[in-house]
Amino acid sequence: MRLGEELPVDHRLAQVYRYGAGLCGVVLLVFGCLGFADRLSPFSTDGTQVAGMTTNGLLSLVSVVVGLGLIAGAVVGGNFASTLNTTAGTLFMISGFFHLFVLDRSANVLDFGITNVLFSFPMGLLIACFGMYGRVSSKLPHDNPYRRRRHPREAARESLAARRRARQAALAPGASTPAITSARD
């Protein structure tokens, strides 16, 4: 099953993916731009703080690039935004774990502090939740395209039952029948 083929283009879940990607992208973009505004050196690990988190020029660059990527995902929307959000959120959480282990070591080239680590986990979880919203759950509604894709036999049975109910309702006494007009009228 490919993730990119499940959601219809005009489905209402696409708005959640767009707004989530846009919101998180703007937050990251603002953080990165604040770092650039302070004219930080790229590989400095002196503990310069911006918005309560330690940063350097390289982390500012990474934040701007990821922020712009999420904003681009918001512009594209749909399945692309969902997949991008899920991937970016997962990478954020992995980054949080990695930087937790390299705090106060020479491998900490992004100058992460504990506040950065504590920011990475909820931000990654938020971005991933925006991406997985309506895709991953034990009780997706019957009309959800992801559920229908995962359970095609059940979806076919439900569709057939709905058509039968509609046909019976149309044939029931007292049901209005559509007027038939000819092409000559």
Side-chain angles (χ1 to χ4, degrees), residues 127-155:
I127 296 170
C129 284
F130 275 127
M132 290 186 282
Y133 182 79
R135 283 185 126 167
V136 181
S137 174
S138 63
K139 297 189 179 193
L140 293 173
H142 292 281
D143 66 338
N144 186 295
Y146 298 109
R147 183 180 183 280
R148 297 177 71 79
R149 174 78 177 213
R150 290 182 194 131
H151 306 287
R153 288 183 183 164
E154 190 176 318

Side-chain angles (χ1 to χ4, degrees), residues 106-127:
S106 61
N108 189 5
V109 295
L110 295 180
D111 195 25
F112 258 55
I114 193 67
T115 54
N116 299 66
V117 171
L118 294 176
F119 173 78
S120 291
F121 291 126
M123 183 60 138
L125 187 60
L126 181 66
I127 296 170

Side-chain angles (χ1 to χ4, degrees), residues 167-177:
R167 204 174 320 132
Q168 287 175 351
L171 296 176
S176 63
T177 56

Side-chain angles (χ1 to χ4, degrees), residues 28-76:
L28 292 172
L29 186 63
V30 167
F31 175 73
C33 288
L34 288 174
F36 283 137
D38 281 352
R39 297 183 185 164
L40 303 172
S41 73
F43 296 104
S44 168
T45 56
D46 62 359
T48 306
Q49 289 198 351
V50 171
M53 293 183 283
T54 57
T55 188
N56 60 16
L58 185 59
L59 180 59
S60 296
L61 177 66
V62 169
S63 297
V64 167
V65 168
V66 172
L68 289 174
L70 288 172
I71 292 170
V75 170
V76 173

